[in-house]
Amino acid sequence: MSTPLQALKKKTNEALGIRPEDAVLSKSYLLVAFAALLIGGILGLLQGLNRAGLLDLPHWFNYYQVLTAHGLLLVLVLTAFFTIGYFYAALSHTLGGLLPKVRKLAWVGFGLKMAGFVLAVIPILMNKATVLYTFYPPMAASPVFYFGLVFIVLGVWMCAFGCFIQVANWRKQNKGKHVPILAYFATGVFVLLFFGSIPVTIEVFMIIPWSLGWVETINVMVARTLFWAFGHTLVNIWYLTAVSAWYVVVPKVIGGRRFSDTLTRVVIFLLVIMNIPGGFHHQIIDPGIAESVKFLHVFMSLAIGLPSLMTAYAMFSVFEKTAKKKGGKGVFGWFKKLPWGDVRFLAPMMAMIAFIPGGAGGIVQSTNQLNQVVHNTMWIVGHFHLTVGMSVVLTFFGISYWLVPYLSKRVLTPKLNKLGVIQTIIWSAGMGLMAIAMHWVGLLGSPRRTSYTTYFDNATALGWDPYLLFLAVGGTLLMIGVILQVYAVVHLMFFAPKGETEFPIAEEEEDAAKTPYWTERWGRIIFVMLLVIAMGYVIPMVEFIVNAPPGSPPFKTW
Amino acid sequence: MEQRKVRLEEKNVEKRKAPVGTWFSLSIVAAIILGTYLLMFWFYMDRV
Amino acid sequence: MKMHLDEKIWLIISFGMIIGFMLFTGYQTFVLGMGPPSHMETIDPQKVDETAPFDNPGVYQIGEKEYEVVMILEVFRFQPGEIEIPVGSTVHFTMTSKDVVHGFQVADTNLNAMVMPGHIQKISQTFHEPGEYLVLCNEYCGTGHQFMATTITVK
């Protein structure tokens, strides 16, 4: 039972909205996220224009520097800062305000991450860390770049610890009660962030002495595998963040109830448990991993698809139920009853639609030898622009239209809602066009991570050019989308009319069954997660280390 | 107790009749997954 | 745990689809030997030039319509380049990298493999159709990455 004090806190929180100190924290995180979107978006446009053969990038800021910065800003800064800003607002809202020490931890984390990004970006701008965001050894960047990464990870850990302390404190004061669903999502996300970033930390600590010249060689397969244990987890951290809005926020926005609380929690902890070994599907055509191990990993990767297929069911079921209450009938009728003109629904809905082909591509390209058809081709770039660029980012945009005014105590005006709808359409069109072209040209063989080239006027390569033009078209549309979105965020944060905006959290169905308490046993969930990680990693890691070749010295090939 | 059970079952049947829209949408999801598989599999076998 | 019958059916269908993909892939991998390139041998990446077979990179005929290509990948070239083979030949590539991570990809074929320093990678392909095939590096390897390409001519 909650203490009277807690109950009072919760009530005041709901009545008066978020506390100003907590609002400043989340607003700062969101501002950094959207600043990263603006800069990362401009860099993306430059790349699109280059790949289409329309723009030569100068020597002092070449394609691969642009690509390194684009990747770092969008897949690290935008997503991490948004995720943290959003979940800290949710923790504050649903757990009765942040504890002072938790807020302090989040600010320390903010500082550490900003310091880390500055350290990482300086060598990138100086062309001393043109290693792309995957920084595979034996390419060696300036040590400063890796120091930056360490600070970023430390900053992320501060935020993870803050979340754990906040949730543990709430549980202590509310014995026997379920953590509110958004706080449960936050716990899942921060558990993944913490455990997922351990492998990359080990990797960076292998690299630092090597890049400083204190150690002569490095084991490239170990480094690469540690990277992907983190890299794939990062993907599902954004995804789980987006999913939280699909399950909890979208039903409220469309005027419905949310899907079964138990099944929602099951989806969350399944994603947490199965995630980390997914990294191996980035290494399907690597040497040094036996075919039998790779086959085991096909199963481990495809299993991650199951919670998403459960989500597909949950979403359609909620949509149909809600629309039927409003009189929508038959196979299609319900579709028209959804609030398509409301950006808070439209943006996450487009995100979900994009996840259908995105997820399908993910399942198929992880299927062992089929990966040979598309590995490291533009298909993959198309895939993650659908999944991250649409499923995740459009959901974030959709969230921003209520989260930002909620934080700034302002309201979303109908005019700005319309702007949001237009933004969503432009973004979907741009990303859709670009992603389709990328998928197809990838099937034809065009490689990813390569600046514009005809390979000495090779006929095959010249045949890709018409498709690559769509990268410029898509990139231009997306740039317009970025500008509209950043304008909307700034407007909602500082200029929109004053007022109260609700933090939309859907209620359960009236006849919902009680959620069993075992879903709260995070100790057990983490234990199973560690077992699954061991299942996936022990055999190949032992193989890489015991049968290691002589290591590689550092190279600077740019 | 018995009565409640019967009522619950009725309710379930009522709910189960309904989700044609859900099934229609899910069949699109399944079709896209299968379609993507077949597309890539066709490319793979064509190049063996 | 309460789950609607519809959801159970959907999950069984989903799981069935995934298991179907798995079984079929497994059959191709283990019965037909079509698994992804996964060679396990290692090599000293700093002594590639002195280690057999890479001390003599080149194209070797090892049977009727069967060739072995011993290939070194380094910034920013494939050695040997501009390979010529008769139509209908099966070619076994044995590769390693002398420096950073490279990707070996031949457009319009299933040849696609990561080539890592310290590891030997093997992959095979039968060329049924005549023509000029584009060989390219599909893992970023440095400033000249976009020029790392050659051809296989099948006559």
Side-chain angles (χ1 to χ4, degrees):
Chain A
M1 285 296 108
S2 63
T3 61
L5 183 66
Q6 276 272 322
L8 184 71
K9 263 193 198 164
K10 195 164 179 270
K11 272 202 185 126
T12 42
N13 223 29
E14 271 158 16
L16 301 175
I18 192 164
R19 274 199 242 146
E21 309 93 295
D22 296 356
V24 173
L25 176 75
S26 281
K27 279 194 280 189
S28 309
Y29 269 96
L30 293 182
L31 271 183
V32 174
F34 285 99
L37 174 72
L38 183 62
I39 305 169
I42 295 169
L43 298 177
L45 176 63
L46 293 180
Q47 277 169 83
L49 293 175
N50 173 285
R51 260 326 269 269
L54 303 174
L55 174 76
D56 262 333
L57 285 163
H59 260 298
W60 47 267
F61 198 44
N62 66 58
Y63 181 84
Y64 301 107
Q65 268 175 292
V66 174
L67 182 52
T68 308
H70 173 77
L72 208 67
L73 281 167
L74 295 184
V75 303
L76 223 55
V77 185
L78 166 64
T79 52
F81 275 78
F82 188 92
T83 297
I84 295 168
Y86 163 69
F87 275 128
Y88 265 75
L91 288 174
S92 166
H93 178 71
T94 61
L95 303 183
L98 296 178
L99 301 169
K101 63 176 161 187
V102 169
R103 206 181 304 123
K104 200 177 275 171
L105 272 174
W107 277 118
V108 172
F110 185 88
L112 283 169
K113 274 180 296 218
M114 292 305 280
F117 282 120
V118 171
L119 281 182
V121 162
I122 290 170
I124 295 175
L125 293 178
M126 292 165 68
N127 201 14
K128 284 186 173 165
T130 310
V131 288
L132 308 193
Y133 80 95
T134 46
F135 58 91
Y136 297 135
M139 261 189 201
S142 150
V144 179
F145 176 75
Y146 304 111
F147 289 137
L149 297 182
V150 172
F151 280 106
I152 294 171
V153 171
L154 285 176
V156 166
W157 284 358
M158 291 304 133
C159 296
F161 296 150
C163 168
F164 300 153
I165 292 169
Q166 181 81 25
V167 171
N169 176 273
W170 187 90
R171 280 166 43 131
K172 210 188 273 167
Q173 297 186 337
N174 297 270
K175 284 243 159 49
K177 280 177 86 180
H178 287 277
V179 172
I181 188 72
L182 273 182
Y184 194 87
F185 267 108
T187 311
V189 161
F190 283 109
V191 165
L192 274 181
L193 260 175
F194 176 69
F195 285 96
S197 53
I198 291 175
V200 77
T201 312
I202 301 173
E203 185 200 1
V204 169
F205 279 112
M206 277 168 64
I207 291 177
I208 286 175
W210 168 78
S211 70
L212 285 168
W214 299 347
V215 175
E216 268 174 35
T217 63
I218 196 164
N219 185 327
V220 288
M221 279 306 283
V222 169
R224 181 177 166 84
T225 306
L226 289 171
F227 178 82
W228 280 116
F230 157 77
H232 185 71
T233 310
L234 186 64
V235 171
N236 275 33
I237 287 163
W238 321 320
Y239 171 63
L240 196 52
T241 309
V243 168
S244 76
W246 300 355
Y247 271 102
V248 182
V249 176
V250 170
K252 178 76 176 181
V253 170
I254 66 175
R257 302 283 178 124
R258 67 187 173 88
F259 193 68
S260 151
D261 183 70
T262 313
L263 289 176
T264 309
R265 290 176 199 247
V266 168
V267 164
I268 298 168
F269 74 69
L270 281 180
L271 281 171
V272 170
I273 286 171
M274 300 197 289
N275 215 299
I276 297 181
F280 267 94
H281 64 231
H282 297 254
Q283 296 178 268
I284 294 176
I285 61 171
D286 276 14
I289 309 171
E291 275 185 6
S292 49
V293 173
K294 285 183 182 172
F295 193 66
L296 166 79
H297 275 285
V298 177
F299 183 72
M300 295 187 86
S301 284
L302 293 191
I304 308 173
L306 281 177
S308 297
L309 289 158
M310 287 170 78
T311 303
Y313 180 90
M315 292 305 117
F316 290 131
S317 163
V318 167
F319 292 155
E320 192 181 14
K321 246 187 219 167
T322 310
K324 277 210 167 135
K325 271 187 218 152
K326 295 182 185 168
K329 284 205 178 67
V331 182
F332 309 105
W334 58 281
F335 211 67
K336 290 183 212 135
K337 294 285 173 188
L338 294 170
W340 295 99
D342 184 341
V343 63
R344 298 171 309 156
F345 166 74
L346 182 67
M349 184 64 181
M350 293 311 292
M352 289 184 229
I353 293 172
F355 196 64
I356 301 172
I363 289 175
V364 179
Q365 75 210 15
S366 306
T367 310
N368 230 23
Q369 56 268 21
L370 291 192
N371 184 252
Q372 278 167 247
V373 180
V374 295
H375 181 86
N376 271 357
T377 67
M378 287 299 278
W379 168 286
I380 302 297
V381 188
H383 168 72
F384 64 71
H385 278 85
L386 267 189
T387 49
V388 179
M390 258 181 100
S391 300
V392 171
V393 166
L394 261 183
T395 306
F396 288 1
F397 291 176
I399 292 172
S400 72
Y401 287 96
W402 55 262
L403 179 59
V404 177
Y406 163 78
L407 294 169
S408 62
K409 297 201 195 295
R410 291 171 194 274
V411 289
L412 174 66
T413 57
K415 225 170 125 187
L416 210 62
N417 177 60
K418 198 174 226 173
L419 179 95
V421 170
I422 295 168
Q423 198 280 341
T424 307
I425 294 169
I426 291 178
W427 190 271
S428 307
M431 207 55 105
L433 269 179
M434 195 170 85
I436 292 170
M438 283 171 164
H439 275 91
W440 191 255
V441 80
L443 280 175
L444 301 180
S446 180
R448 71 186 284 197
R449 306 185 137 184
T450 307
S451 68
Y452 178 72
T453 174
T454 59
Y455 293 114
F456 321 108
D457 291 332
N458 180 284
T460 310
L462 287 170
W464 300 331
D465 280 2
Y467 302 100
L468 293 172
L469 264 182
F470 283 96
L471 273 59
V473 177
T476 310
L477 285 173
L478 288 167
M479 195 61 233
I480 299 170
V482 166
I483 292 168
L484 292 180
Q485 178 62 32
V486 172
Y487 169 78
V489 168
V490 171
H491 188 82
L492 286 169
M493 205 174 279
F494 302 109
F495 305 108
K498 290 267 182 194
E500 285 300 324
T501 295
E502 174 200 27
F503 195 117
I505 295 179
E507 312 243 341
E508 287 184 72
E509 294 280 355
E510 273 153 13
D511 59 345
K514 199 184 167 330
T515 307
Y517 196 71
W518 53 261
T519 49
E520 294 292 324
R521 304 269 182 230
W522 277 99
R524 275 187 226 169
I525 294 170
I526 290 170
F527 178 73
V528 178
M529 177 188 85
L530 292 175
L531 271 185
V532 172
I533 294 173
M535 244 170 81
Y537 281 93
V538 170
I539 298 173
M541 272 299 180
V542 167
E543 168 73 31
F544 294 149
I545 293 166
V546 174
N547 292 328
S552 287
F555 287 93
K556 184 173 179 289
T557 53
W558 66 89
Chain B
M1 191 62 196
E2 260 317 289
Q3 249 187 339
R4 231 190 103 208
K5 215 173 156 188
V6 173
R7 271 229 317 272
L8 261 175
E9 269 166 19
E10 267 173 16
K11 220 172 162 191
N12 274 346
V13 170
E14 190 187 55
K15 264 187 196 162
R16 224 185 296 144
K17 255 191 321 193
V20 276
T22 304
W23 275 112
F24 172 74
S25 317
L26 289 174
S27 60
I28 294 178
V29 173
I32 290 179
I33 296 175
L34 279 176
T36 313
Y37 184 85
L38 290 175
L39 172 76
M40 210 183 283
F41 186 73
W42 185 82
F43 264 90
Y44 178 77
M45 289 311 287
D46 189 52
R47 290 169 175 182
V48 160
Chain C
M1 199 161 71
K2 204 179 107 193
M3 201 184 256
H4 279 290
L5 182 64
D6 294 280
E7 180 162 18
K8 282 183 193 153
I9 297 172
W10 167 244
L11 280 181
I12 291 167
I13 295 173
S14 309
F15 197 68
M17 217 157 41
I18 285 175
I19 291 295
F21 296 160
M22 285 284 303
L23 288 178
F24 198 72
T25 313
Y27 173 74
Q28 283 196 321
T29 306
F30 297 110
V31 181
L32 303 180
M34 297 164 88
S38 312
H39 198 66
M40 303 295 287
E41 267 178 283
T42 57
I43 184 173
D44 186 339
Q46 301 191 64
K47 293 188 180 135
V48 171
D49 289 328
E50 304 126 61
T51 314
F54 298 100
D55 48 353
N56 271 314
V59 185
Y60 301 95
Q61 186 159 18
I62 53 173
E64 201 198 336
K65 298 223 157 185
E66 205 163 356
Y67 293 82
E68 185 181 11
V69 174
V70 176
M71 187 181 263
I72 296 174
L73 285 81
E74 62 186 310
V75 289
F76 299 103
R77 65 188 186 127
F78 297 90
Q79 191 195 347
E82 290 169 7
I83 295 165
E84 285 189 19
I85 47 143
V87 70
S89 309
T90 301
V91 186
H92 307 283
F93 294 88
T94 303
M95 301 171 288
T96 195
S97 163
K98 259 166 81 170
D99 37 58
V100 296
V101 180
H102 295 284
F104 173 76
Q105 184 194 329
V106 182
D108 294 322
T109 72
N110 287 327
L111 290 170
N112 196 343
M114 299 305 297
V115 180
M116 318 276 301
H119 292 264
I120 298 172
Q121 180 68 302
K122 290 194 176 185
I123 190 167
S124 302
Q125 173 80 32
T126 305
F127 290 87
H128 300 288
E129 301 284 332
E132 191 189 70
Y133 290 81
L134 173 62
V135 182
L136 58 91
C137 173
N138 69 9
E139 183 59 81
Y140 167 66
C141 57
T143 338
H145 167 57
Q146 67 277 16
F147 300 119
M148 183 160 168
T150 184
T151 55
I152 297 173
T153 308
V154 180
K155 286 199 261 208

